[in-house]
Amino acid sequence: MKVLDQSGARIERSIAELRHLFRQDAQATRRRDARPGLWIAVVIYWLFSFTDLLLVPDVAFQTIQARLAVGVAALAVLEIQLRLQAETKWIDVTCAAAIVFGYLGWLWPTMTSAHTESASYYMVFGTIFMMSANLFFTFDIKFSIVTSTFILSVLFIVNYYFPSPDTYKLVFANFYVSCFAFTSYVNWKLNKERYNVFLNALEAATQHKEATERGHALLRLSRTDPLTGLENRRAIDEKLRQYWNDWHNSGHRFAAMLIDVDFFKGFNDFYGHQDGDRCLVIVASALADLVKQHNGSIGRYGGEEFIVLSRLPDDEQTMALADAIRATVEGLALPHDQRKDGTPVVTVSVGVGVTREHSGAKLERIIHEADRALYLAKASGRNCVWLFDPCDPQSSDERENIAALLKIAISQSLVSLVYQPIQNIASGRIEAAEALMRLKMLDGTPIPPNVFIPVAEQTGAILKLGRWAIKTVCTELLAHDHLAVVSVNVSPIQLKAPGFAASVAAILAETGVSGSRLAFEITEGLEMEIHSDVLRCIADLRRLGIRIWLDDFGTGFAGLSWLRLIEFDLVKIDRSFLHDCGSPKGKMMLQDIISLIRNRGHSILIEGVETNEQKTFARELGIDMVQGFDIGRPVPAAEFLSRWTACERIFPIAKRA
């Protein structure tokens, strides 16, 4: 039989080992049941004193004395043994001795009674003691037989000397032997059944432990960032809710710190993504050790962004921890020679948000404040710490400045689209592109998407920008058959907005583009929930022929429930899984994710293909589509058309009737 050892490994158990385990388990059971069992037996034994008074009144005083003496002695010895932690075998001996001496102490004076007929009845009661040895107490089978054999011998001796006819003695002898055989057989069957029950319980416990270990492993996997080993965004969001609830319920103040590796894109471009991933792992390990000392929580919140949650009593200690985080990374002295500011090592910028009396009712606010503080830290030269202050004009106006900019972004041509090619790995042809939104200030300074997109969603500007993006994609690349399919990222706000599908249908009708040439990429985020409005909108979009893609699968955003509820045309695997394939564990994880998606019947696209070797590896894994710098960087529509539609062998222009 296979069971688990203490380490959780499956091992073979021999019959001898299993029987030894069973005996140990049976001893524990007997030890546990000895006290209540003997007390019940003694009380019943004493109650038979009323029978003595009725049947053998001339010797009742002697029999009652014998009963009391045997019962008190047995209980006293048992209690002493239990207090002294005596071995189970000696407790069994005490219980067996109580049975034997209980019968002898009762039977002996009864045999001297003048009421001979009544005394003969007491000989029959001997079978009750035999049954007790075999059935009432859970003795080992050998010990039970020895005890009941002793009682049987006493019965035979008394039966032989008792003045009665030979026929009477023969009948009683047969009765004794029958009871002995029957109770011994039943005891043997019970012990055999107990052994089978023990084996079944052991197997069930083994399977339960295995299932529990698998469940814990899957839970850890679903809550762990595959690259750094830190908690992923899903896990840290749950931790954030715990901190937030504790603050609201108990007043436990806490800080949220967003940490961004400075100029990390330049690091990746110069040193390569493998060194970039190694850099993130080193930084994550150092920060985890530091945060652990402050009983905080740390997780990976994005590509090169980390988040720390910590309960700190005041701003002074909060800023001390934030600066310790900054100094720890700078102290690693990881080389970064391509920085624009001349600093030769990797550093981080830290934005801090703290709970305050007027922090509002939504936990997202503290993250927004930390994000705005991080933006100001980066704008202040990086490698610094910034605490969000609602009274600071820089903190309070930045979001408003971006919100105001978004209102005029379309009319002032401040917003634009760039397109990144998507290649069919089997044919080598560019069969699709992803449209990415860009925003610049009035002076031409670019604003990162991770800065303006959240503001656009919070203010509702994303609805107008989203419609503009869809129409621009249709007119720039799809209306004239320049490309077969273009994907557009769709915000949760858009999917929840009434009439979104109808507005898309109007754009398709106006531009004359078939819905089948448009794909919407959906990313599950903190504010994204699967409810009826979202599912209904997706169904309406599908009726228009629009393809639905699931973006960023595996990063802590996309859940398995999405694959179960929505029939996606394509699933995009996050680049981090491809870049983590340098280790056997990372490679196995990517293969498992691919198998999971394949079993659902979806096409697969993997992002972050930066080298020819990675493309070859993706081909070996059976990936359908690839996207990344090795295929092509995001470029404006004109450059995209001149580069990717000029060569028929790479991309045949789709001709539509």
Side-chain angles (χ1 to χ4, degrees):
M1 179 180 178
K2 291 183 177 180
V3 297
L4 294 178
D5 64 5
Q6 291 182 349
S7 66
R10 269 195 140 350
I11 58 174
E12 292 283 350
R13 291 286 193 189
S14 65
I15 298 298
E17 289 177 307
L18 290 172
R19 291 197 177 279
H20 175 69
L21 290 173
F22 170 67
R23 283 193 293 271
Q24 288 182 326
D25 183 75
Q27 285 183 6
T29 301
R30 294 202 303 274
R31 190 178 192 88
R32 184 181 65 248
D33 297 341
R35 174 180 279 146
L38 188 60
W39 271 93
I40 292 172
V42 168
V43 170
I44 295 174
Y45 180 62
W46 284 340
L47 290 176
F48 266 90
S49 298
F50 295 103
T51 307
D52 297 340
L53 293 172
L54 293 174
L55 298 180
V56 287
D58 54 334
V59 295
F61 180 74
Q62 292 88 338
T63 59
I64 292 173
Q65 280 187 319
R67 291 177 189 276
L68 289 173
V70 172
V72 170
L75 292 176
V77 172
L78 176 67
E79 293 298 328
I80 292 172
Q81 288 176 326
L82 292 175
R83 183 176 293 274
L84 296 178
Q85 299 293 316
E87 295 183 26
T88 305
K89 65 179 181 179
W90 296 115
I91 294 176
D92 289 344
V93 169
T94 298
C95 294
I99 295 172
V100 172
F101 285 104
Y103 183 56
L104 287 175
W106 171 40
L107 184 62
W108 185 261
T110 303
M111 292 299 99
T112 64
S113 173
H115 301 275
T116 307
E117 183 179 358
S118 297
S120 67
Y121 299 154
Y122 278 63
M123 294 175 60
V124 179
F125 290 157
T127 58
I128 296 177
F129 291 84
M130 192 184 301
M131 292 178 186
S132 298
N134 277 320
L135 304 178
F136 187 78
F137 292 95
T138 56
F139 295 143
D140 181 81
I141 180 65
K142 295 178 182 179
F143 195 77
S144 297
I145 291 176
V146 169
T147 305
S148 57
T149 300
F150 190 87
I151 296 173
L152 179 65
S153 301
V154 172
L155 287 170
F156 269 112
I157 293 172
V158 174
N159 188 42
Y160 178 77
Y161 288 105
F162 190 77
S164 60
D166 292 341
T167 303
Y168 180 90
K169 293 180 178 180
L170 180 62
V171 170
F172 265 86
N174 287 333
F175 177 70
Y176 299 152
V177 172
S178 298
C179 286
F180 174 80
F182 173 75
T183 56
S184 298
Y185 174 75
V186 172
N187 187 19
W188 175 76
K189 291 287 289 183
L190 286 174
N191 274 278
K192 186 177 180 180
E193 187 62 28
R194 291 189 191 104
Y195 179 64
N196 291 331
V197 170
F198 168 76
L199 292 181
N200 291 335
L202 188 62
E203 178 66 17
T206 299
Q207 294 176 353
H208 176 72
K209 187 174 182 180
E210 286 182 324
T212 301
E213 290 294 329
R214 287 196 298 268
H216 288 163
L218 288 173
L219 181 61
R220 285 192 297 271
L221 179 63
S222 69
R223 296 169 55 85
T224 303
D225 175 63
L227 176 64
T228 62
L230 300 178
E231 291 182 311
N232 62 14
R233 185 159 185 169
R234 173 171 296 169
I236 209 69
D237 282 343
E238 293 177 4
K239 194 70 66 68
L240 176 61
R241 290 186 181 93
Q242 294 175 8
Y243 277 69
W244 186 264
N245 290 335
D246 287 346
W247 177 69
H248 269 285
N249 298 331
S250 306
H252 294 154
R253 180 185 187 275
F254 75 94
M257 305 179 188
L258 289 179
I259 306 155
D260 188 82
V261 180
D262 296 328
F263 299 108
F264 188 71
K265 182 180 182 301
F267 187 98
N268 266 340
D269 293 343
F270 182 74
Y271 294 102
H273 285 281
Q274 289 186 345
D275 282 345
D277 289 345
R278 190 177 300 111
C279 170
L280 292 178
V281 170
I282 294 172
V283 170
S285 178
L287 294 183
D289 292 340
L290 173 65
V291 172
K292 185 178 181 181
Q293 300 173 17
H294 293 78
N295 297 320
S297 302
I298 182 172
R300 189 180 179 194
Y301 215 55
E304 68 270 21
E305 192 171 80
F306 303 93
I307 183 171
V308 168
L309 303 175
S310 184
R311 294 185 177 94
L312 297 165
D314 51 49
D315 288 351
E316 183 178 351
Q317 293 190 35
T318 299
M319 292 302 288
L321 175 57
D323 194 62
I325 289 171
R326 183 204 60 76
T328 296
V329 176
E330 186 177 26
L332 294 173
L334 299 174
H336 192 346
D337 297 328
Q338 299 301 306
R339 290 182 56 146
K340 300 176 182 179
D341 60 354
T343 304
V345 296
V346 172
T347 61
V348 294
S349 300
V350 184
V352 184
V354 297
T355 51
R356 300 181 309 280
E357 184 179 353
H358 303 292
S359 289
K362 293 186 177 181
L363 63 86
E364 289 85 354
R365 179 164 181 172
I366 192 172
I367 298 299
H368 296 159
E369 292 178 352
D371 189 59
R372 290 159 67 181
L374 175 62
Y375 179 82
L376 291 170
K378 292 161 70 174
S380 300
R382 293 180 169 83
N383 190 25
C384 64
V385 175
W386 198 284
L387 174 66
F388 177 83
D389 182 359
C391 299
D392 185 349
Q394 285 187 286
S395 296
S396 59
D397 291 345
E398 189 58 44
R399 177 179 177 275
E400 286 73 14
N401 291 339
I402 295 176
L405 195 67
L406 290 172
K407 292 180 180 180
I408 61 171
I410 296 176
S411 61
Q412 298 293 325
S413 299
L414 301 176
V415 64
S416 61
L417 294 180
V418 292
Y419 300 89
Q420 186 171 26
I422 297 174
Q423 186 182 59
N424 184 311
I425 199 167
S427 65
R429 294 173 175 173
I430 302 302
E431 295 188 352
E434 179 182 3
L436 302 167
M437 191 176 295
R438 298 291 184 258
L439 179 69
K440 62 183 178 181
M441 296 183 181
L442 292 171
D443 62 0
T445 303
I447 302 175
N450 66 332
V451 174
F452 75 81
I453 292 295
V455 177
E457 291 181 332
Q458 295 157 16
T459 60
I462 194 66
L463 298 175
K464 185 177 180 180
L465 289 172
R467 288 192 295 269
W468 170 86
I470 295 169
K471 185 174 182 179
T472 302
V473 165
C474 291
T475 55
E476 286 187 341
L477 291 187
L478 295 179
H480 303 292
D481 291 330
H482 291 309
L483 197 61
V485 178
V486 176
S487 69
V488 181
N489 290 280
V490 175
S491 165
I493 308 300
Q494 294 171 267
L495 291 176
K496 295 178 183 179
F500 174 67
S503 66
V504 174
I507 292 172
L508 294 176
E510 179 183 350
T511 57
V513 173
S514 170
S516 62
R517 299 178 61 202
L518 197 60
F520 285 167
E521 296 192 21
I522 300 173
T523 303
E524 182 191 5
L526 179 64
E527 298 178 356
M528 186 64 164
E529 300 174 356
I530 303 178
H531 51 59
S532 57
D533 291 342
V534 173
L535 295 177
R536 190 180 304 111
C537 181
I538 291 175
D540 292 341
L541 294 172
R542 279 195 167 281
R543 281 191 284 271
L544 295 174
I546 295 173
R547 311 179 193 199
I548 305 299
W549 294 2
L550 179 59
D551 194 16
D552 290 330
F553 183 78
T555 60
F557 292 87
L560 296 178
S561 57
W562 283 72
L563 291 182
R564 179 173 59 86
L565 292 175
I566 301 173
E567 193 64 31
F568 291 100
D569 297 285
L570 181 142
V571 175
K572 299 179 72 172
I573 300 176
D574 185 72
R575 60 185 283 282
S576 60
F577 291 97
L578 179 63
H579 294 168
D580 197 34
C581 284
S583 66
K585 183 179 178 180
K587 183 176 180 180
M588 185 177 298
M589 183 176 295
L590 177 58
Q591 291 172 336
D592 289 342
I593 290 174
I594 292 172
S595 298
L596 174 66
I597 300 172
R598 283 283 183 226
N599 290 337
R600 296 294 301 168
H602 305 300
S603 297
I604 301 175
L605 183 153
I606 193 162
E607 301 174 301
V609 176
E610 317 295 352
T611 64
N612 193 53
E613 290 76 10
Q614 290 176 338
K615 186 195 298 185
T616 302
F617 179 60
R619 183 180 292 109
E620 293 172 356
L621 293 175
I623 300 295
D624 301 299
M625 313 283 279
V626 290
Q627 181 180 358
F629 289 168
D630 187 67
I631 312 303
R633 294 175 179 271
V635 293
E639 185 177 346
F640 184 94
L641 293 175
S642 64
R643 180 180 299 182
W644 298 110
T645 64
C647 188
E648 282 290 326
R649 68 179 180 85
I650 296 178
F651 171 64
I653 302 299
K655 299 298 181 183
R656 303 291 179 192

